[in-house]
Every structure is written in structure tokens, then in C-alpha cells.
Amino acid sequence: MRTYFIAGNWKMHKTIPEAVALAAELVKELKNGSGKYMIAPSFTALDAVSKVTKGTNILLGAQNMSTDEAGAHTGEVSVLQLKDIGVQVVILGHSERRHIYGETDEMINKKVRLALSHGLEVILCVGELLSEREEGKAEAVCEEQTRKGLAGVSADDLKKVTIAYEPVWAIGTGKVATPEDAEAIHAFIRNIIADMYGKQAAGEIIIQYGGSMKADNCAGLLAKEDIDGGLIGELLSRPKPLFPLH
Ligand code: PEP
């Protein structure tokens, strides 16, 4: 039985006091929740928010990290620095990183392996552009991003990986995928995991949906067999309305 995993990606929003206040509110609201929860504030707020989430049932996530452990990488943040402030999970391969900042599958895979080698959990985001969906390439794109993103990841390390299926055309647009369309890709990704790691691993891996998921559309999505939670980036990243479902 997979646990629902609800994660908030706060993107480039919130000052430190705002982030701390929202984190504190969520800690209170979720303290008896039965799911798995994570919030990913901006780098600048991670340290302050880590003091709020420490010892609670909310994991602390980062939204990205460098391909390298240390060195001359101006403007980057290293896995060691994330661990240093209590980060437990890192979101990698988000479509905004892929399509705005030009991150390739090879870079993302390097980050995935580095994060796992340091004991962090990873949320690996995959998803097609609208043009790719219209050309009938949604599955092929998700397959390539999944296989390349996980290249060299051991079956043991896969236990620390969550996949987030995030159709790019649904992110921040208000256009949510239908539960049926999302489920089709989730089931497809689970089959790829079965092909790479076997049936048991495929049955255990959590596959989140991301893309304009909200209180009024989450029930249909989460009711689907292969949709195990959500990665939610909506401005306030308040997953609270989703929780009564769990
Ligand atoms: C995201 O950024 O991962 C995301 C899913 O955003 P939104 O919920 O705003 O579509």
C-alpha cells in the first residue's frame, strides 16, 4: 500500500518571515495527518523553515541543487550545504529548470545520483510540453526523462525516489490534466519502472501528479490507482484542502 505524498513547491515566493509563518501553520494543521508531507521553500528561507519543521511530520525540501558537490560554481547550492541545514528531499528536473534554465537529462541525472549518494530523497519531475502532447509524444518524452533521469540509480536507492508527472502545459496554467489522461501516463511510468527495476519496485514507487492540482480537482486525480499524491506549486502552496481525503 503506497502512502499519499503531498508536496508543496513554493517556487520563488515568500520572504523568510512569510515562509516561517506558513510552515508553522502547516505543522499545526498536519500534525495528525496520515500522509507523507514535504514543503520546499526558496533557498533563502530553508534554514529558518528547518527550525520549524524539525521533528515534525513535514519533510524539508529544496527546489534544486548543483550537479557538483563543491567548487567554483557561482550562484549554485551544493548538496552538502543543503544537508547542513537539514534538507531531506530535493526536487530535481522541474520543468522550469528544464525549459527556462536549459537543464538536460544528463545534468538532472548527475544531480539525482549525487543527492542519493548523500542520503537525500529525490522527487524527479518528468512531463511533456503541449506541442509534444499534440504530436502524440507524451509517453515517449516521459519515458526518456524517466530512464535518463534514473540512469545508474540502484534498486536500493530507488526507494528514496518519487517521480512527479507534471505535464508542462498544466503547470501554473489552471489547465489540469483529466484524471484519465494523468492516470494513463502514471500507469505508463510505473511500467517503465517495472521494466527497469522489476514489479515490486514499480508497485512501491510513489508517482505524484503536478499541474494546477487544487482542492476542487484533486479528488478525481487522487482516486486513480496510479496517482499517489501531488506536487503543488500554486502561489500559496497550501495543500491543506487535499488532506481530508487521506
Ligand atoms: C509545480 O510547479 O510543480 C506545479 C505543479 O505548479 P502548479 O501547481 O502551480 O501548477
Side-chain angles (χ1 to χ4, degrees):
M1 186 59 183
R2 297 182 293 269
T3 310
Y4 281 109
F5 182 10
I6 308 291
N9 170 14
W10 295 4
K11 307 198 185 196
M12 200 173 66
H13 297 294
K14 303 202 176 296
T15 61
I16 294 172
E18 286 168 351
V20 164
L22 179 55
E25 213 183 304
L26 289 170
V27 164
K28 248 195 251 161
E29 288 169 357
L30 298 179
K31 69 175 189 297
N32 298 318
S34 57
K36 175 171 175 176
Y37 310 114
M38 184 210 80
I39 52 176
S42 300
F43 287 131
T44 52
L46 278 172
D47 190 30
V49 170
S50 79
K51 294 176 177 87
V52 180
T53 55
K54 194 171 179 192
T56 73
N57 61 348
I58 302 183
L59 295 167
L60 184 67
Q63 299 172 19
N64 186 26
M65 61 170 233
S66 171
T67 50
D68 287 74
E69 205 167 78
H73 295 281
T74 302
E76 291 289 299
V77 176
S78 124
V79 63
L80 301 177
Q81 294 164 331
L82 295 181
K83 282 187 70 179
D84 205 22
I85 50 176
V87 166
Q88 295 147 298
V89 188
V90 60
I91 300 171
L92 296 173
H94 191 280
S95 64
E96 287 152 15
R97 301 300 318 171
R98 291 178 188 268
H99 299 294
I100 303 175
Y101 298 101
E103 289 194 12
T104 62
D105 284 316
E106 289 65 32
M107 288 165 74
I108 293 159
N109 174 251
K110 200 172 170 200
K111 295 181 185 200
V112 167
R113 286 183 289 116
L114 183 61
L116 293 170
S117 76
H118 283 277
L120 291 187
E121 284 190 42
V122 165
I123 297 179
L124 172 64
C125 303
V126 302
E128 80 285 358
L129 296 164
L130 181 58
S131 56
E132 292 167 334
R133 171 157 285 263
E134 286 171 348
E135 288 163 25
K137 293 184 185 154
E139 289 188 348
V141 169
C142 292
E143 175 163 7
E144 184 168 12
Q145 292 177 352
T146 302
R147 287 190 188 274
K148 289 189 171 170
L150 293 175
V153 171
S154 69
D156 209 34
D157 274 347
L158 187 76
K159 296 186 178 126
K160 295 199 294 262
V161 176
T162 294
I163 309 266
Y165 168 56
E166 300 208 304
V168 183
W169 47 271
I171 298 181
T173 58
K175 285 186 205 152
V176 66
T178 65
E180 291 68 32
D181 284 348
E183 169 64 14
I185 300 282
H186 279 240
F188 176 78
I189 293 171
R190 204 175 295 286
N191 276 333
I192 292 167
I193 300 297
D195 183 51
M196 293 175 78
Y197 294 95
K199 269 196 171 168
Q200 188 177 336
E204 287 170 2
I205 195 163
I206 293 176
I207 307 179
Q208 298 172 319
Y209 169 81
S212 299
M213 191 190 228
K214 318 193 166 49
D216 61 5
N217 61 30
C218 66
L221 288 158
L222 293 171
K224 292 291 181 192
E225 173 72 22
D226 292 292
I227 303 183
D228 308 318
L231 178 56
I232 299 159
E234 204 189 347
L235 185 61
L236 282 176
S237 281
R238 285 184 57 98
K240 182 187 166 198
L242 303 178
F243 296 142
L245 285 170
H246 310 310

